[in-house]
Amino acid sequence: MSEAFFHLEGVAFAVGGREILRPLTLDLAPGRIVALVGPNGSCKSTLMKLLARQQPPTAGRIACMGRDLGAWNGRAFARAVAYMPQFTPAADGMTVAELARLGRFPWHGPFGRFGAADAARVAEALAETGLDAFSDRRVDTLSGGERQRAWLAMLLAQDPRCLLLDEPTSALDIAHQVEVLKLVRGLGRSRGIGAVVVLHDVNMAARFADEIVALKDGRLIARGTPAAIMTPDTLAEIYGIPIGVLPHPESGEPIGYVRGP
């Protein structure tokens, strides 16, 4: 088995002396799509911020590619890991191409020259996200799904080994949810990069992820393949309500549904 991309050992996080993320030991393999699921308040976004170095854990250790997170240089870490927060910052007046170009910052810094290699990476990112024709459009004029693809283009221009995506589909309709998650999965396959994705819809997680990690009340409650997680007992344990499972009429993959009136 290959070395874990992220290794967490006894990782916890406390606010005001109250531990909200309980000690967590977990390995996340490279090159896989991992979905983080669980009820609201289960600390999914907190865990993502810890992985992204947005805040340090109050206990335990996190390593990326065998090195403690604190030992990474900021730009070197950004070359390995690209993070999209739950609420992306405003990009008023910025074009899609200009946003994507920001992804090259870790490679040449604020005063470095934007060269041919950088331009090629940006063009590749725009092509992979289907935004070639949108390069001169302002980001603030795009639809929700298009904006998410623009931010993905910026992350891809970083040329990372792993994407951290915190609820990338939360404000999208079902068609755009599928579009974004198909894109993430396809990029994972074509580029060989992994992704950790926070999702609310466990059926979407089961459809697009290689592995599901479920949190509840700040604790790891279940992890495994979609088939292993998508059982009535496991889903009821995660969400605290009766959930049935039936096979998809076309693919045969398990689909969860809330039971009862």
Side-chain angles (χ1 to χ4, degrees), residues 16-260:
R18 184 173 69 90
E19 197 172 62
I20 60 172
L21 179 66
R22 318 296 179 176
L24 173 63
T25 296
L26 180 69
D27 282 342
L28 300 176
R32 291 169 63 80
I33 309 299
V34 179
L36 281 182
V37 304
N40 290 341
S42 57
C43 288
K44 302 182 295 296
S45 291
T46 297
L47 177 56
M48 290 289 276
K49 289 176 183 177
L50 299 182
L51 295 177
R53 298 205 327 169
Q54 298 298 299
Q55 54 194 27
T58 52
R61 168 180 177 261
I62 303 177
C64 176
M65 294 167 44
R67 296 171 58 194
D68 283 359
L69 286 193
W72 282 83
N73 169 275
R75 281 173 57 189
F77 185 74
R79 293 176 184 178
V81 178
Y83 169 59
M84 182 192 291
Q86 183 176 351
F87 302 105
T88 53
D92 295 345
M94 188 175 291
T95 68
V96 170
E98 289 169 341
L99 178 63
R101 284 168 64 100
L102 293 180
R104 298 306 298 165
F105 172 83
W107 296 91
H108 57 67
F111 305 112
R113 181 181 177 186
F114 187 90
D118 298 302
R121 286 299 188 189
V122 169
E124 182 181 15
L126 293 175
E128 287 179 310
T129 52
L131 292 173
D132 307 73
F134 292 75
S135 61
D136 294 327
R137 284 271 303 275
R138 294 206 326 268
V139 175
D140 54 10
T141 67
L142 301 178
S143 70
E146 291 164 349
R147 278 196 301 273
Q148 290 299 75
R149 284 193 283 138
W151 282 99
L152 277 173
M154 188 202 74
L155 301 188
L156 292 174
Q158 287 181 225
D159 201 20
R161 297 277 302 278
C162 181
L163 301 173
L164 299 178
L165 309 175
D166 192 354
E167 298 192 31
T169 61
S170 61
L172 304 181
D173 60 44
I174 190 168
H176 285 106
Q177 289 180 39
V178 170
E179 176 187 80
V180 168
L181 293 175
K182 275 186 176 179
L183 177 60
V184 171
R185 185 175 65 181
L187 291 168
R189 302 294 185 263
S190 63
R191 285 200 179 204
I193 61 178
V196 183
V197 188
V198 173
L199 293 173
H200 277 299
D201 189 332
V202 72
N203 287 320
M204 288 290 189
R207 179 174 178 182
F208 291 102
D210 299 308
E211 181 180 14
I212 296 176
V213 172
L215 300 178
K216 184 177 184 180
D217 297 327
R219 293 184 174 86
L220 175 66
I221 194 169
R223 71 172 298 188
T225 64
I229 298 298
M230 296 295 288
T231 68
D233 289 345
T234 301
L235 293 176
E237 185 179 10
I238 296 169
Y239 293 104
I241 57 174
I243 297 180
V245 176
L246 50 78
H248 190 283
E250 295 179 0
S251 67
E253 296 172 345
I255 301 173
Y257 65 94
V258 177
R259 297 176 58 185

